[in-house]
Amino acid sequence: MTGSRTAPPPSQQWATLNRVQQELLLATYVLDQAAEAHERDAWSDGRRRRPAEEWRWHRFGYVDAGPGAPPGKVRAALDATTRRSRRLLTAPAELADLGLVDQRLEEVPQGSERWWQPQVRLLSLRMTTRGRRVARTSGVDDRNAGRPPRGLVSQWLWEVIVELWRAGPGGVPADTRWSAWQYLEGRKTGPLIERVALTAQTASRWKYAVAGAPGWALNDAGRDHYRRHFATYARVYPAVRAPDPTGRLTWPGEVDKHLSALGSVAWSLRQRLDDVIARREELQRDGARHEAPRCPTDQTPPVSAEAAHREVLRAAADALDADHWRQRTALLAEHEPVLRALVRTSAARHAAAAIAAICACIAGHEPTSAVIAAEPLPLDHDGRPADLPVLTTGLPGIDAELATRRAAALAASPPAAQRRGRGRRQPPATPSLEPAAVELSVYAAHLADLVAGGQLQRLLLRTDQQTDAAAPTTA
């Protein structure tokens, strides 16, 4: 194990790991943090907290087992490419040698499983303190809630305080969130809320509330707490949409509405294109019987006048169906290229507006005018964007995810065909009709979700060097 004095900085050590080692370390870290959060809520859920020795270990899987051995939680959390990699067999031992994880091998008693072998062992992994530090440098926690400094409240209570701030002096009904009122009123440093009578305007916003009913509102200390610690709370809990009392972090709702409308239009046009192509393919399957309708002169002479009349009516109906088929086929053939162009243009416009919102947020500019005035991105003959700007926020995890999605939008390769297993036959996957437009829309939707409600503004506070900043970690 590498000693703390000779170990390189966490960010440098993360960069020296290969892809399989990084994926394994992150998968173990995510499971470790989820288990820690579960144990942290034990008392509130009516459970007893267990020793860390019991829940810190996570099963990787069976080693030296026969075919068909079930994977552990760690191995199951990896993607298919990493699970098939030969480097995964040695990655746990390599991470243990670097002091990033501890590993434990347990004997497996003989059972009825076909994969059991005399030498089979159950491998479990446990994150070390050094391993958590190295994993965090990857930015895995960039969008997660952090641990608040001493004296500040949890995310759930912060959401309650934000609701009370929005309600103002009118208050919030007292018949909900009993534990929250009890905590906010009984704080050691003094209460943050006070009892009030609901006003008529406040009662109208609640389903069963009436004017004059008991309620809670922020007192002077609560409002001062909100103003003084808003920046820290916004940095620690970026997912909570809290209004900035200073007005500096105000995100215009018009931007979110505009991006949502562009995304809805792009999705609706793709659905219409899919429907048009499906109908055209259905008509093509029925085209054989419409290409050469039956003619009564080619048939055996009828034996009666009534049979001849029926034959004439049948031939007329076939001719009418064939004419209708030709008209529908021509109409769909005429509409399909128009819809394809609209699908590409809508995706390009959505992506351009989302990129403008991200750039304005990073630069600290007002985004409304830039988003509304954004022109569609230029596309090539296949519908792929000619280029996409590289977006950098300064948060490693978010920047890595943006780079991955940007590369997918530029490549826009069709989905890979599904491999056929030995079991029940799977239906063939339907390829995307406009893969470039679909990937570009997915990229734009991710950008729009990142800036929605000013989330990116609050995340960017984590890049500021302030003395009261809380580290964006959960351990």
Side-chain angles (χ1 to χ4, degrees):
M1 182 181 297
T2 305
S4 59
R5 295 184 179 180
T6 60
S11 58
Q12 181 179 348
Q13 189 169 9
W14 169 261
T16 59
L17 301 178
N18 59 48
R19 185 189 63 82
V20 175
Q21 292 172 341
Q22 291 179 349
E23 294 293 334
L24 178 58
L25 186 65
L26 288 182
T28 310
Y29 175 79
V30 171
L31 290 174
D32 177 79
Q33 297 302 285
E36 181 176 331
H38 181 73
E39 292 299 322
R40 191 185 302 121
D41 297 337
W43 287 112
S44 59
D45 295 341
R47 298 178 286 109
R48 288 184 176 272
R49 290 187 177 180
R50 299 175 297 166
E53 182 66 22
E54 296 182 12
W55 54 267
R56 283 290 187 189
W57 289 97
H58 307 285
R59 291 185 175 184
F60 173 83
Y62 294 96
V63 181
D64 296 331
K73 285 187 176 181
V74 178
R75 191 165 188 170
L78 302 172
D79 57 49
T81 303
T82 306
R83 288 198 302 267
R84 292 193 298 265
S85 176
R86 293 185 177 181
R87 290 185 175 182
L88 186 61
L89 300 177
T90 59
E94 294 168 352
L95 293 180
D97 292 340
L98 295 173
L100 304 181
V101 300
D102 295 329
Q103 57 178 353
R104 181 179 66 186
L105 289 172
E106 303 175 69
E107 294 185 0
V108 180
Q110 184 176 1
S112 59
E113 295 83 359
R114 295 183 178 180
W115 49 264
W116 187 88
Q117 302 287 342
Q119 71 277 11
V120 66
R121 296 292 184 272
L122 176 60
L123 174 62
S124 299
L125 301 178
R126 180 178 63 180
M127 293 291 296
T128 63
T129 303
R130 176 70 183 180
R132 294 190 194 94
R133 293 175 182 173
V134 173
R136 287 169 190 149
T137 60
S138 68
V140 64
D141 286 328
D142 280 350
R143 297 185 67 171
N144 296 339
R147 173 176 292 181
R150 185 178 298 275
L152 301 190
V153 300
S154 63
Q155 180 172 348
W156 173 61
L157 288 174
W158 171 240
E159 292 174 354
V160 175
I161 293 176
V162 170
E163 184 178 4
L164 291 170
W165 176 271
R166 293 181 185 274
V172 172
D175 56 353
T176 59
R177 300 185 179 91
W178 291 98
S179 57
W181 310 139
Q182 183 178 4
Y183 180 85
L184 294 176
E185 186 185 25
R187 279 171 56 93
K188 295 181 180 179
T189 56
L192 299 179
I193 57 176
E194 60 184 1
R195 295 180 182 271
V196 296
L198 298 180
T199 63
Q201 182 179 3
T202 302
S204 63
R205 296 196 297 264
W206 298 84
K207 187 173 182 180
Y208 298 108
V210 294
W216 292 97
L218 291 177
N219 56 18
D220 292 339
R223 288 187 289 271
D224 182 65
H225 181 89
Y226 187 96
R227 295 189 188 94
R228 287 190 297 111
H229 300 292
F230 169 80
T232 303
Y233 279 123
R235 183 165 48 247
V236 177
Y237 307 131
V240 180
R241 300 188 179 186
D244 186 359
T246 64
R248 291 194 298 267
L249 290 181
T250 302
W251 183 259
E254 295 81 1
V255 172
D256 292 341
K257 292 181 180 179
H258 186 69
L259 293 177
S260 177
L262 292 177
S264 299
V265 169
W267 180 85
S268 177
L269 288 173
R270 288 201 306 273
Q271 292 296 110
R272 289 180 178 271
L273 177 61
D274 294 349
D275 184 58
V276 165
I277 294 181
R279 291 183 180 181
R280 177 175 57 80
E281 292 177 350
E282 182 181 358
L283 290 175
Q284 289 177 350
R285 289 192 297 268
D286 297 341
R289 66 185 183 88
H290 291 301
E291 289 290 352
R294 293 190 306 159
C295 180
T297 58
D298 297 337
Q299 306 299 327
T300 304
V303 296
S304 64
E306 182 179 356
H309 182 65
R310 286 198 303 268
E311 192 66 27
V312 171
L313 292 179
R314 187 179 295 110
D318 291 344
L320 184 62
D321 289 344
D323 186 59
H324 186 210
W325 173 81
R326 284 191 293 269
Q327 291 180 3
R328 292 183 61 188
T329 303
L331 188 61
L332 292 177
E334 180 182 353
H335 285 181
E336 182 180 341
V338 177
L339 271 176
R340 286 186 180 274
L342 290 175
V343 166
R344 295 180 178 184
T345 303
S346 64
R349 187 178 297 277
H350 187 202
I355 292 173
I358 291 284
C359 293
C361 186
I362 294 175
H365 299 157
E366 206 286 326
T368 306
S369 57
V371 170
I372 295 178
E375 295 293 332
L377 297 175
L379 306 176
D380 60 15
H381 63 282
D382 292 327
R384 296 183 179 87
D387 193 15
L388 292 173
V390 179
L391 304 175
T392 305
T393 63
L395 300 169
I398 295 178
D399 290 344
E401 187 175 6
L402 289 176
T404 301
R405 293 180 179 271
R406 174 182 177 272
L410 289 173
S413 57
Q418 296 182 351
R419 297 182 61 183
R420 184 178 302 175
R422 297 182 179 179
R424 187 172 55 184
R425 184 175 182 179
Q426 299 292 334
T430 303
S432 177
L433 302 177
E434 282 290 335
V438 171
E439 290 294 340
L440 191 58
S441 294
V442 170
Y443 179 63
H446 174 73
L447 299 183
D449 177 70
L450 184 59
V451 300
Q455 180 180 206
L456 182 58
Q457 285 182 327
R458 297 185 290 272
L459 286 169
L460 291 176
L461 292 175
R462 295 182 169 183
T463 61
D464 299 337
Q465 300 298 326
Q466 299 182 10
T467 56
D468 61 343
T473 64
T474 57

